[in-house]
Amino acid sequence: RDRDPSFAADFLEATGGTVPSETSVLLLRVVAKPDKSKELAASQEVLNTSPARLELAQVLREGDFGRRIQTRGQLRVFIGNVKSAAAKLEVDLYLSEPNLSAVKMRSAVKRVRSSRLRNDLQNALKEVLSNRCEVVDSSWSVQASMEVVIVSRPSVRYILLWAMCGTTFLLFVGYLVSSYFAVKSRWQSDKAYRLGRKAANNPRIFFEGNGGVLPAFLQQLARLTQWESFPFFEGISSMMQTPLQQQGPTVEPVERIPEAHVMSEGWLAWDARLHDKYTMTSRRLLLACIIVFVAVGPMRFIGMPPVSENRQLIDFGVTLLPAFIIIILLFASLGLSYLHLQVHRKHFGFGAAIKLNKARVAQVIMVSLITLVVVLWGGLALVNPQANEDLQNKPTFLPVPPQYSLEEVPGQNLYVSTIFGIMHGNLLVLCVLPLPLSYNFQAFLVRYVPMLRHIVPDSPVDLHRRLGYTLLGGLSLVAVIWLIFMGDACFRNDTRILQTEDGKHTPRACLAFEPADQAGKDVFLLRFEMVWPLSFFFIPLMIYGKEDIMYPKSVAEKKAKGRGGAEEQSLGASCLYWLLWVARFICRRFIDACLFVIALAGIQIGSLPPADQRQLTIGVFRDFAGAKVTYGYVPFWAIVILFLVVQSIARAINATLAVFRPDSPDKDSWGRFCRRVWWEMAYWCHVFAFTLAVGFALLIRFDVFYLALIPWGIYISDRLYGMWCAYKNGTHIIVTPNTPGKASFVVEDGGKPSQVRLILQKPPGFQYKPGQWCHLSLRHCGAYCGARCSPLPFVEWHPFSLASAPGADPDVLEFHITVHESAMEHNSSSGVIVRRQGQEMLLRRAWNPLDWLRPWRLFRSAKTGLSHETPVYYKATANGNFLELSDASGNAMKVRKPQEQWTGRLWNLVSALQDEKGESDQVVRILGPYGTLHACCFSHNAVMLIGAGVGYPSMGSLLRQILEDNLKAESSSKRHVCFMWTCRKVDQLHLCFPSLLADLTKYVHRSSLADLQQWLTVKIFVGDVGQDDVLAVEPDATIGKDMTRAFNEVKGWLLRPPGSSSYDEDGTYVAKGSLGACFSDILTCSLFIRNKVLKEGRSLGICFCGPLGLCSWLRNDIECTTVPWTYEFASEVAGS
């Protein structure tokens, strides 16, 4: 009976209504003794079931008992606790009538003679147990007592839970909305930028022999730019649908490859733009994840609607929604795959279409079969639960808590199953959450099974962040649904009242907010006193970035700032700027207040009585008596409050200093320090808190969370293995080269730190693949409070790509590091206090108390002459990139200006070591290597190596290894390469271009330039070129002297003067413009694609390392281009 969909409605009718909102009801405690004592246990067991309670309530209301005591014909009877004691059965009956007080109800019952009342109760028990349920055949002797009791509802706790969970949900929704508008704004600006770059000049750059830009090129560039600024020529260019510079010599052939087709409209182009707009790396992987999430979570618990005439439309809508989502996603995937197949069939024939789409067809077939099995399994085996037992029988599910009764409360079967379905989907997300960051595990898999590279994420941090958003969104959404429906049941829609162990009488649903048994207390504490405060540390990472900005600054604000001072701005621009500033300030303070509301509500919930509410048991541990081990309350919310208070005080200090020290040369030093420390603390608290939360979940509810043991075990093992490798892989910086050309040095740009070429001695046993990357840590670049040793080297890791290759550099590791310069601001009228500490000097500005918390560190060279450890006051004068220090005795020394960023401090260290021409005791720790680009590169016989900005080292490493491999390979088996690199200005070529010259020179020296040109194409794009720019053309060490002929041939090939052809004969050039703007032409027109890929029938691997924006641009061009060859696109996004 309890699995009949109409049973809950029958129960509501049998009780006469829901528990009234009044605070008091009449409790009639019935003590019944059977004449057959052996039937007592069976009677208690039966009356604790929903059907028996329904029958008893119905008999009491509609029988003689109800007719005797009701006054207005609206009697409500609620069955409470049913228990046995002293060979007697105790049944609590709660009686009430609308608009009738409990005192009057007691008077109405007292008017009935006690003998009649006992007789009515005896008949009701016998009717239910003997006639209707047919369980026992006893006669009952009954005694009854009455009292007016207060119905207790946890209103305060409910409000605090809303303040905590509702505010979290509000922040999450606000973040989603702001992210949507940010994505929309970024997409609009990206489209405008791309259109502008495509229309901009893109001519070939010609250099002189010394690296200077050819004057004739600058004149031509100025002439083209001037022409394009006239409206007349703009109209001509738009009518001809081609930029002006393409009317003359071009860097690529104008004629498109006949077999290449570009899609600009249609569903496939829309799908590609969707990927580009929301930076989705794999549509099929995303669809598969959603299908698994829905199948494991909502579909498994909500099930399918049972066939019944009593089902309502909303029941079918809720229960069929998971299956509907899965079917829609399946048809979307099938439709897009069919469109790909049709496009290829239209252009290349059916056979070629099947060959080009065999992987896609295989994936679609596999996904279709899995989806079909899931849908059939859901339709045949999964039925919407109608009773608590239906939920308890599912795996990873414990007994249903006492506050739920799906068979008694109308609608509870829908929303409870929905809640538990989403929560188990969250459990799946929790299991997958750490895997994207298990870099060692990923590298291990790809090393031994290269095909697994297809499931390794291109942007692991971005995927991990999105999984975190899904988890936090799922938790907050479930909490809101739970509060809405359980609150409704607790305050106005329940059909049972229970007496708790502490004597309170409360509606059954209210036990969700104030649990009575230890199992309920454990679940409540796990959710709201452990998981919620620990997951709180994800919110700062979601809202605040390293720059402490939630909402992106608008273009209007930037324009207002860029127009100069207030006197130069128009009134409208100035007002707009200040309105935006005020709005952002209010928004940020509101967010800060929300964080305090969440934490204060959590700590207040933990302080509410009773005291044992703050004790929990650990499910996997038991004492010698077999009882569960109890665990004391840990004040996680107090830690969160302390965290928020400390960061608020730090911000207040920053604001105070900005107001009262307006003349300070470094007004925002406290602000930068607070932002950095806040973000780092939030990050590491986030890492430890999530690990701790998973650990507590496994200890307390192992039966539920055991699935998380494997992935989180992999993650923790991955981290421990990485730390062990970092301890083992300690090495030193090479300044005096043991190998010619292999020494560390620094590069300046206008007298400021620009780049570092870091050469490290390869640690014994360190193995890596070309194109991989590592985390580096250096004690000298990360220590606080003047301590000689600090834990920061073990937590402050910075990722850098390896520029070396195992085949070419067997003994050293090479890194090319771009410096983010942020030097110490100094007031010339103030001094500094300097103290020696080993090989370092600690500098503290006398006027800045922050420096006592975080002193500036510099490498102490022998030239400084500072030989004692006593602090000395110096007068400091800034001189370019140096500080000139002089003490009261006239002693003077010159030191480099301290740098705030880690890369700037590394630049100072290498520069000092370079001047000393000696080694340091500084130990560099290496964590890694990571990365899977090599698997894609060496799986194809034609590759495009694309680097942008800091992405050159990875591509340079792959090219260096291919140079070694091709040198030993036969002519027919050599891998063909198109090497492309893009940068903003010529100065960024100072470090990488000489390295490229050296690598190519070594190959030509051992082979020939003609052999190199047979398989290598080089394309370099520079965003901006000026008349003062000079390209660095001097290679490392003595290569230019020892290999003069080869060096001159390579330099002449890369920087050759203009030829007679309308485009470059072999596709090698240095051009002004954007790689993103030219990539579509390279795919459809270039000689490399025409002669090396299409003509020779090679498969193409496209490897990219660089910023996310360019990666999305290139991926969009690839997906919008239909070509008759197979290709694979693999990327590693900078900062991920």
Side-chain angles (χ1 to χ4, degrees), residues 272 582 910 1116:
V582 171
V910 174
N1116 179 68

Side-chain angles (χ1 to χ4, degrees), residues 38 80 99 109 135 146 226 254 309 324 326 369 396 413 428 639 881 939 960 1032 1060 1088 1105 1111:
K38 62 180 181 180
N99 303 319
V109 176
V135 177
M146 292 181 294
Q226 185 178 9
V254 176
E309 61 182 9
F324 180 74
I326 291 178
L369 290 176
T396 72
N413 65 309
L428 177 64
I639 299 173
N881 198 36
S939 297
R960 189 174 294 181
S1060 58
F1088 175 79
C1105 183
C1111 177

Side-chain angles (χ1 to χ4, degrees), residues 283-300 321-334 363-375 377 382 421 424-425 428-429:
R283 181 190 67 252
R284 289 183 293 275
L285 180 61
L286 176 63
L287 295 180
C289 290
I290 295 176
I291 290 174
V292 172
F293 177 89
V294 174
V296 171
M299 187 171 184
R300 188 164 68 99
L321 182 61
F324 180 74
I325 292 175
I326 291 178
I327 293 173
I328 288 297
L329 293 177
L330 173 63
F331 276 105
S333 180
L334 287 173
Q363 291 175 356
V364 168
I365 293 174
M366 182 177 66
V367 172
S368 302
L369 290 176
I370 294 175
T371 305
L372 182 63
V373 171
V374 168
V375 173
W377 166 65
L382 300 178
H424 279 73
L428 177 64
V429 175

Side-chain angles (χ1 to χ4, degrees), residues 602-864:
I603 201 171
Q604 183 63 29
I605 291 173
S607 63
L608 292 176
D612 64 346
Q613 198 78 32
R614 297 182 293 279
Q615 299 289 329
L616 56 86
T617 57
I618 300 179
V620 297
F621 294 143
R622 297 181 181 273
D623 58 18
F624 294 105
K628 292 183 179 180
V629 177
T630 59
Y631 184 81
Y633 172 67
V634 178
F636 289 111
W637 282 119
I639 299 173
V640 172
I641 287 289
L642 178 63
F643 185 77
L644 290 174
V645 169
V646 169
Q647 66 94 15
S648 298
I649 292 174
R651 289 184 178 181
I653 292 175
N654 177 43
T656 304
L657 290 178
V659 172
F660 293 100
R661 293 292 302 271
D663 57 338
S664 171
D666 194 8
K667 292 182 289 187
D668 196 38
S669 59
W670 275 95
R672 291 196 304 271
F673 176 75
C674 294
R675 286 194 294 267
R676 183 171 64 251
V677 171
W678 159 255
W679 196 90
E680 289 178 359
M681 287 178 62
Y683 173 76
W684 287 108
C685 287
H686 156 78
V687 172
F688 290 119
F690 257 87
T691 306
L692 192 63
V694 173
F696 272 112
L698 288 171
L699 286 175
I700 299 168
R701 285 291 179 266
F702 183 80
D703 294 341
V704 175
F705 293 96
Y706 67 88
L707 294 175
L709 187 61
I710 295 177
W712 281 88
I714 291 174
Y715 170 75
I716 294 174
S717 300
D718 186 275
R719 281 291 183 262
L720 293 176
Y721 174 75
M723 287 299 176
W724 178 78
C725 290
Y727 175 79
K728 184 184 69 170
N729 296 331
T731 186
H732 295 275
I733 301 174
I734 297 177
V735 178
T736 304
N738 299 323
T739 305
K742 296 300 179 181
S744 302
F745 62 85
V746 298
V747 177
E748 293 184 357
D749 181 11
K752 295 183 178 181
S754 175
Q755 294 171 324
V756 178
R757 183 196 187 190
L758 185 65
I759 304 295
L760 304 177
Q761 187 69 39
K762 181 182 176 183
F766 184 85
Q767 296 181 355
Y768 68 100
K769 297 288 185 180
Q772 291 190 306
W773 57 278
C774 300
H775 280 107
L776 299 183
S777 176
L778 188 64
R779 180 180 63 84
H780 172 85
C781 294
Y784 285 82
C785 302
R788 292 180 179 272
C789 59
S790 170
L792 280 180
F794 294 99
V795 298
E796 189 181 7
W797 297 94
H798 297 267
F800 299 105
S801 298
L802 281 158
S804 53
D809 308 291
D811 301 323
V812 297
L813 301 177
E814 181 177 347
F815 299 89
H816 295 175
I817 299 173
T818 300
V819 175
H820 299 281
E821 192 263 346
S822 179
M824 180 187 78
E825 299 293 338
H826 177 67
N827 192 336
S828 299
S829 61
S830 302
V832 296
I833 299 174
V834 183
R835 181 169 68 89
R836 173 193 170 190
Q837 188 183 85
Q839 282 193 321
E840 296 177 344
M841 292 189 303
L842 305 185
L843 276 72
R844 293 183 172 94
R845 291 169 290 185
W847 51 268
N848 194 329
L850 176 62
D851 289 356
W852 295 93
L853 296 175
R854 186 210 56 187
W856 301 89
R857 291 174 174 266
L858 286 174
F859 179 76
R860 185 186 66 84
S861 63
K863 300 177 182 179
T864 59

Side-chain angles (χ1 to χ4, degrees), residues 217 233 315 319 399 431 445 486 503 539 604 612 620 652 795 970 1046 1073:
F217 164 75
F233 289 101
D315 299 336
T319 52
C431 293
L445 290 179
M486 290 306 295
I539 298 176
Q604 183 63 29
D612 64 346
V620 297
V795 298
E970 296 293 334

Side-chain angles (χ1 to χ4, degrees), residues 43 59 138 235 289 313 325 599 699 771 806 815 821 968 1064 1071:
S43 300
V59 168
S138 295
C289 290
L313 182 61
I325 292 175
L699 286 175
F815 299 89
E821 192 263 346
K968 305 171 185 177
D1064 291 285

Side-chain angles (χ1 to χ4, degrees), residues 199-211:
N201 292 322
N202 195 44
R204 167 79 185 271
I205 304 176
F206 300 108
F207 294 92
E208 298 176 330
N210 61 357

Side-chain angles (χ1 to χ4, degrees), residues 498-614:
L498 296 175
Q499 183 178 6
T500 62
E501 296 176 358
D502 55 357
K504 291 183 179 180
H505 302 269
T506 182
R508 173 184 47 203
C510 294
L511 296 177
F513 311 119
E514 195 172 34
D517 61 334
Q518 188 59 50
K521 295 175 183 178
D522 290 349
V523 172
F524 187 88
L525 279 172
L526 178 64
R527 288 177 181 173
F528 300 113
E529 298 295 327
M530 291 187 179
V531 173
W532 214 271
L534 293 175
S535 62
F536 171 88
F537 285 102
F538 180 76
I539 298 176
L541 292 182
M542 179 183 71
I543 296 176
Y544 303 113
K546 291 185 178 180
E547 297 301 324
D548 198 21
I549 295 174
M550 177 179 180
Y551 301 106
K553 295 182 180 179
S554 67
V555 178
E557 180 181 355
K558 293 182 179 180
K559 289 181 178 179
K561 281 187 174 182
R563 291 172 183 169
E567 67 277 6
E568 298 179 6
Q569 295 182 12
S570 65
L571 180 61
S574 178
C575 292
L576 177 61
Y577 170 76
W578 285 109
L579 283 175
L580 291 171
W581 187 90
V582 171
R584 182 173 178 270
F585 178 83
I586 294 174
C587 178
R588 291 305 309 279
R589 300 294 75 77
F590 173 75
I591 293 170
D592 294 338
C594 288
L595 298 179
F596 271 99
V597 167
I598 295 171
L600 290 174
I603 201 171
Q604 183 63 29
I605 291 173
S607 63
L608 292 176
D612 64 346
Q613 198 78 32
R614 297 182 293 279

